[in-house]
Amino acid sequence: MKELSESHEDPFALHLGAFAVLDDRGVVVGWNRRAQQLLGYPDTAVIGRPAFEVLVDPRDLPAVTEAAATCRRASGWFGVLRLRHRDGGLVELGLRAHELSRDGRVREWFLAGALASDVLEWQRDRAVLDGLYRQCPIGLVVHGPDLRILRVNRAIERFSGVPADDFRGLPTGRMLLPDDERKAVDRVRQVMETGRPLVYSEQFARLEQDPARERVALVSSFRMEDPSGRILGVAEMIEDITERHRAQRRLALLDQVGSRIGTTLDVAETARELAEVMVPHLADHVSVDLLQPVTRGEEPTRALAGPVVRLGTCSVGAQQPGPPHPHGDPLEFGPDTPQVGCLAEGRPVLEPVLPPEWFSAEGRQGADAPDLGAHSLIVVPLAARGLVLGVMTLWRSRRPDAFEADDLTLAQELGSRAAVAIDNARRFTQQQQTAFTLQSSLLPRAVPDQSAVEVALRYLPASAAPGLGGDWFDVIPLSGARVALVVGDVVGRGIHAAATMGRLRTAVHTLASLDLEPDEVLSRLDDLVNLLAAEREAAGERPMDEQVVGATCLYAVYDPVSGRCSVARAGHPLPVVTAPDGRVALLDLPAGPPLGLGGLPFEARDIELAPGSLLCLYTNGIIGERHIDADIGLTKLRAALSRPADALERTCQAVVDSLVPSRHSDDVVLLIARTRLLPPENVASWSLPPEPTSAARARALTSAKLTEWGLEHLAFTTELIASELVTNVYRYADGPATLRLIRERCLVCEVSDTSHTSPHLRRARTTDEGGRGLFLVAQMTERWGTRYTREGKTVWTEQPLTGTSV
């Protein structure tokens, strides 16, 4: 048996109430069993006796007398009185009195009573029920088992704007649009069939009589049953939370803007993020247009109205056409469009309802609309630091409700936040472009002509935050047909890193011109980095807990005559060597500390490289991206370098495609050199004893070899050069001299000895007997110089092969 409902039944009901009948004189003429239970008197004890005598305590007589008088005047009475129990106690009862008449002559009084506590509780329940229907701000809808509305309260009337009486007998959901009606019917039917209540379900509702206005309701439903379990219907409590929902949606949108917009320091990406955040939460179509100078990182002129570049667009639905302007192309707004006024004055524009003429042939304003169904428009400026950077245009076409003033306020707030992110991205772009321009001007534009190696290069500046690094590379021709290959990476990013890179690259060129050994070059660079760090620290530019200046570097010198390569590194990644047979290995080199630590030695290592070997130098941007494990990166790098016979440019591109993502956060330098050996017939070398006749011997050997090479036109000058250099060895050095001629892009003449004393070019006075030989050598050659080795020094000269004898 089902339990009784928690609600109290009417205490005056026939099966619950105590009933008595009095005649016109107040004599009891009727008495039921419930009256006997409440007051203790059986019917035989009270029928025929005056009620005042039996039931009223003398102390309560005035109150009873007044109630009786009121009842006679009004033909009825309701209230609470105390009556005497048979045991002498008093019982507080709620009483109702009604006049009865028979044949218009006999008048009697029908009394209905119940315990006062039960009556008061029942009255409270009735008051609550009455309040639910008349005063409660939460809507109440009662549905019958046949899914027809039995009754609604006045809150529903206010919510819908439809009189409450008009709902009676209507099918559930009849006044809603078809989609919303179907959902309402399904909701009520589910509760009625399952008996499971629905608690705080958020529902959207649009009325047929006002389809443009979307309402949001919080619905709770439960099934109604009588004490026997018979289903009486479903009651729904409906709370209008439209404004609350809109406020929550605005707050959520503001939070989303803070978390999604400005994730990158890229102007176009930020504009795209802004457009995507707006749809569909606030608009059906959004376009973000920025002034052209902003897209280039420049600061726009005040009150500049165009042209603009559309960098962000988003529309609802995959089939919905987007704005007609291609992404990224410049466009001009018409003179009468709201966008122009917004750009020029910095004021937002709200058009809640677009008039039909907006899209007419003469109406130029509608030319930028995403489709002809657009009915409402907002245009807000994107302004930061007092400058208008562009405009954001919002359209509604699918959503029936028009933009309101609150929507405009929200769009302005979102636009202001986005404008700050766009301006930050613009300023970063400006700094990036400045750093890139500086870096590009400092890096070599092309690989210089040389015979030692074939070179392929890739320099890819960072395409994502935090910006350009200080990576650099160089290919430096050296004396004796040798070449220096350099790759380095300055610590830090931005303009300071680019400037430091330029200073280090200049220093490397200077040191390379001195023909120093690789380890000596790194030692001198280390001194320079420490000097730069000291200068910045003295100027107060040292960041907290950060090294001021630092760099890694790898310096390699390859000799195409001997096939030997001397390499030293300062904290730089190990180079990769690919043998002609395809075997790939990391070159085993001493680690060497990064530049800037100071006081620690560097060590060079000499290796033999067969002709056709690949020597790959790179910066950590190749294998150091966060999404790539270093070992995996090296494995991919070795795989891409395993075909040494392939075209060098193709191999270089294969490495980039395999290891460098489309948006990389670090600079990438890749230098691949394929080694060459000069043909033995293009090199001639002789050892000359320290004798006076060695100069003549040098002239003879030189003349014969140049004749063999078909360079007779260079014989006179080269004989003179060789003679003067060998004579200097005889005069100022100990031990034998080595004369070497190399024919490549130019004619190289070298004389080596065991002395470390450097010859000096000077102008001889009239009375001097010597000092003119080296001066003549300098005049007859295109370049000359001295390089030092561990065994001594070499004085070298270069002459163009097309030169003529003097």
Side-chain angles (χ1 to χ4, degrees):
M1 182 176 177
K2 291 192 177 288
E3 296 181 358
L4 292 175
S5 170
E6 291 186 1
S7 63
H8 293 82
E9 295 185 67
D10 185 354
F12 297 110
L14 290 176
H15 65 287
L16 295 177
F19 301 111
V21 179
L22 305 181
D23 64 13
D24 198 35
R25 297 173 297 164
V27 176
V28 178
V29 296
W31 191 260
N32 76 340
R33 183 176 298 178
R34 180 60 178 163
Q36 178 179 338
Q37 291 173 350
L38 291 178
L39 296 176
Y41 298 101
D43 54 357
T44 57
V46 292
I47 291 179
R49 299 179 61 185
F52 280 70
E53 176 186 325
V54 179
L55 302 177
V56 178
D57 186 272
R59 293 170 294 181
D60 295 321
L61 188 58
V64 174
T65 302
E66 182 180 352
T70 302
C71 183
R72 287 182 179 277
R73 288 194 304 271
S75 299
W77 179 84
F78 172 74
V80 176
L81 291 176
R82 289 192 304 178
L83 299 181
R84 186 168 53 193
H85 194 275
R86 186 176 186 182
D87 62 8
L90 297 176
V91 179
E92 195 171 51
L93 296 179
L95 294 174
R96 283 183 178 175
H98 295 283
E99 182 185 57
L100 298 176
S101 62
R102 284 180 292 177
D103 300 330
R105 292 181 292 104
V106 178
R107 189 167 64 167
E108 296 177 336
W109 301 94
F110 179 77
L111 302 181
L115 291 175
S117 59
D118 291 344
V119 173
L120 291 175
E121 196 160 1
W122 175 72
Q123 284 183 315
R124 283 194 294 267
D125 289 348
R126 289 298 303 267
V128 169
L129 184 61
D130 186 70
L132 285 175
Y133 280 105
R134 298 179 181 277
Q135 299 177 12
C136 181
I138 298 176
L140 180 64
V141 181
V142 180
H143 306 270
D146 58 352
L147 294 182
R148 288 185 175 273
I149 298 175
L150 300 177
R151 186 177 181 183
V152 301
N153 68 350
R154 291 182 180 177
I156 293 295
E157 184 177 286
R158 292 190 295 270
F159 179 72
S160 64
V162 178
D165 291 340
D166 292 355
F167 282 92
R168 293 181 183 272
L170 288 179
T172 297
R174 170 58 62 87
M175 292 191 176
L176 300 176
L177 290 182
D179 286 346
D180 296 333
E181 177 184 2
R182 184 176 62 255
K183 294 175 184 177
V185 171
D186 292 344
R187 182 176 68 243
V188 174
R189 180 180 287 116
Q190 180 182 1
V191 173
M192 189 173 302
E193 292 176 353
T194 65
R196 291 194 298 268
L198 184 69
V199 181
Y200 294 146
S201 173
E202 193 173 276
Q203 307 290 333
F204 292 87
R206 289 169 296 170
L207 298 174
E208 285 183 335
Q209 65 180 22
D210 189 10
R213 184 183 177 192
E214 185 177 63
R215 296 166 174 84
V216 185
L218 206 59
V219 180
S220 295
S221 309
F222 62 92
R223 188 168 71 183
M224 300 183 298
E225 302 175 2
D226 65 10
S228 66
R230 183 167 59 95
I231 298 175
L232 302 178
V234 172
E236 286 189 311
M237 291 179 290
I238 302 175
E239 182 181 1
D240 184 1
I241 61 168
T242 303
E243 294 305 320
R244 186 197 314 170
H245 182 270
R246 289 180 179 177
Q248 290 175 344
R249 187 171 59 185
R250 291 182 181 114
L251 289 175
L253 190 55
L254 286 171
D255 181 68
Q256 194 174 16
V257 166
S259 61
R260 286 190 56 185
I261 295 180
T263 58
T264 65
L265 289 172
D266 181 87
V267 173
E269 181 69 14
T270 303
R272 184 186 64 81
E273 291 171 345
L274 174 59
E276 291 179 351
V277 165
M278 295 293 178
V279 176
H281 306 291
L282 188 59
D284 296 325
H285 316 277
V286 174
S287 61
V288 179
D289 305 303
L290 301 181
L291 293 168
Q292 271 192 321
V294 176
T295 63
R296 299 190 295 264
E298 302 170 5
E299 188 170 285
T301 306
R302 292 184 180 274
L304 181 65
V308 298
V309 177
R310 179 151 295 170
L311 294 182
T313 58
C314 191
S315 296
V316 173
Q319 305 301 323
Q320 191 69 26
H325 302 286
H327 175 78
D329 288 352
L331 61 98
E332 290 274 2
F333 291 116
D336 299 326
T337 56
Q339 288 88 346
V340 169
C342 186
L343 283 171
E345 301 178 11
R347 296 181 183 177
V349 176
L350 170 62
E351 292 286 347
V353 179
L354 298 177
E357 57 268 18
W358 188 280
F359 297 96
S360 64
E362 298 80 13
R364 303 182 61 181
Q365 294 95 333
D368 192 49
D371 61 60
L372 296 180
H375 61 81
S376 193
L377 168 72
I378 284 179
V379 183
V380 296
L382 301 175
R385 298 187 304 113
L387 294 174
V388 177
L389 308 176
V391 293
M392 176 175 62
T393 307
L394 299 88
W395 305 82
R396 280 186 180 173
S397 58
R398 289 193 170 189
R399 292 178 58 171
D401 50 324
F403 284 121
E404 301 175 349
D406 287 346
D407 297 320
L408 177 62
T409 301
L410 178 60
Q412 285 182 275
E413 175 65 23
L414 298 177
S416 298
R417 294 191 181 191
V420 173
I422 291 173
D423 191 53
N424 290 338
R426 177 195 66 79
R427 298 165 99 179
F428 176 76
T429 300
Q430 185 180 45
Q431 185 184 41
Q432 282 285 87
Q433 290 176 344
T434 303
F436 180 72
T437 301
L438 175 61
Q439 196 171 34
S440 300
S441 66
L442 296 174
L443 288 172
R445 300 297 179 89
V447 177
D449 291 337
Q450 42 79 39
S451 304
V453 293
E454 177 191 357
V455 175
L457 283 165
R458 290 293 186 276
Y459 169 69
L460 305 174
S463 58
L468 291 175
D471 294 17
W472 91 92
F473 63 90
D474 232 322
V475 178
I476 307 173
L478 301 177
S479 63
R482 297 170 306 136
V483 66
L485 305 174
V486 189
V487 170
D489 185 358
V490 173
V491 173
R493 299 180 183 276
I495 295 177
H496 286 299
T500 302
M501 176 271 291
R503 299 176 75 172
L504 293 182
R505 179 172 177 258
T506 301
V508 169
H509 266 269
T510 303
L511 296 172
S513 67
L514 299 176
D515 266 322
L516 299 178
E517 295 291 328
D519 53 345
E520 182 66 20
V521 170
L522 295 183
S523 295
R524 301 288 181 88
L525 280 180
D526 186 56
D527 293 339
L528 175 61
V529 171
N530 284 319
L531 178 61
L532 295 177
E535 289 178 352
R536 288 187 61 183
E537 188 171 4
E541 299 178 5
R542 179 168 183 167
M544 186 79 65
D545 299 327
E546 183 180 325
Q547 185 179 359
V548 177
V549 179
T552 65
C553 185
L554 189 142
Y555 189 88
V557 176
Y558 175 69
D559 186 348
V561 176
S562 64
R564 296 183 65 83
C565 184
S566 180
V567 189
R569 69 184 182 120
H572 204 78
L574 289 170
V576 178
V577 175
T578 304
D581 60 3
R583 288 179 295 120
V584 184
L586 286 174
L587 189 57
D588 185 17
L589 294 177
L595 302 176
L597 294 184
L600 298 176
F602 299 94
E603 184 179 348
R605 179 159 296 173
D606 293 346
I607 58 170
E608 297 281 349
L609 293 178
S613 298
L614 299 184
L615 178 62
C616 177
L617 312 181
Y618 53 91
T619 58
N620 58 11
I622 287 283
I623 60 172
E625 287 281 343
R626 282 176 289 180
H627 70 286
I628 300 179
D629 182 83
D631 292 336
I632 296 176
L634 284 173
T635 301
K636 290 184 177 181
L637 177 60
R638 294 171 68 169
L641 295 171
S642 61
R643 298 167 61 95
D646 286 355
L648 206 56
E649 284 294 328
R650 183 185 305 169
T651 301
C652 197
Q653 190 58 43
V655 172
V656 172
D657 294 341
S658 175
L659 286 155
V660 181
S662 58
R663 291 185 60 81
H664 47 98
S665 60
D666 196 4
D667 288 4
V668 171
V669 167
L670 177 65
L671 189 157
I672 304 178
R674 177 180 283 130
T675 61
R676 298 169 176 157
L677 272 183
L678 292 182
E681 60 271 16
N682 286 1
V683 181
S685 180
W686 304 277
S687 180
L688 302 174
E691 300 174 354
T693 59
S694 293
R697 173 70 176 159
R699 288 194 296 272
L701 293 171
T702 299
S703 178
K705 179 54 67 175
L706 293 181
T707 300
E708 178 185 336
W709 285 345
L711 299 175
E712 296 88 345
H713 59 282
L714 298 177
F716 176 78
T717 55
T718 310
E719 287 179 30
L720 181 58
I721 292 168
S723 175
E724 288 295 335
L725 296 180
V726 170
T727 299
N728 280 343
V729 173
Y730 170 71
R731 288 182 176 179
Y732 305 111
D734 298 327
T738 299
L739 172 64
R740 186 169 73 165
L741 297 178
I742 302 174
R743 181 183 63 175
E744 46 124 16
R745 297 176 184 272
C746 60
L747 178 62
V748 179
C749 177
E750 298 180 343
V751 175
S752 304
D753 60 64
T754 58
S755 171
H756 287 86
T757 303
S758 175
H760 294 285
L761 180 64
R762 64 184 180 87
R763 183 176 297 277
R765 291 173 294 184
T766 306
T767 57
D768 290 341
E769 296 182 2
R772 297 178 176 83
L774 201 57
F775 179 79
L776 292 175
V777 169
Q779 298 300 312
M780 295 178 180
T781 59
E782 188 174 67
R783 291 199 315 150
W784 74 280
T786 304
R787 69 173 179 268
Y788 295 91
T789 63
R790 294 177 178 84
E791 295 78 19
K793 71 174 183 296
T794 298
V795 181
W796 55 270
T797 65
E798 292 180 358
Q799 302 174 78
L801 296 180
T802 57
T804 56
S805 59
V806 179

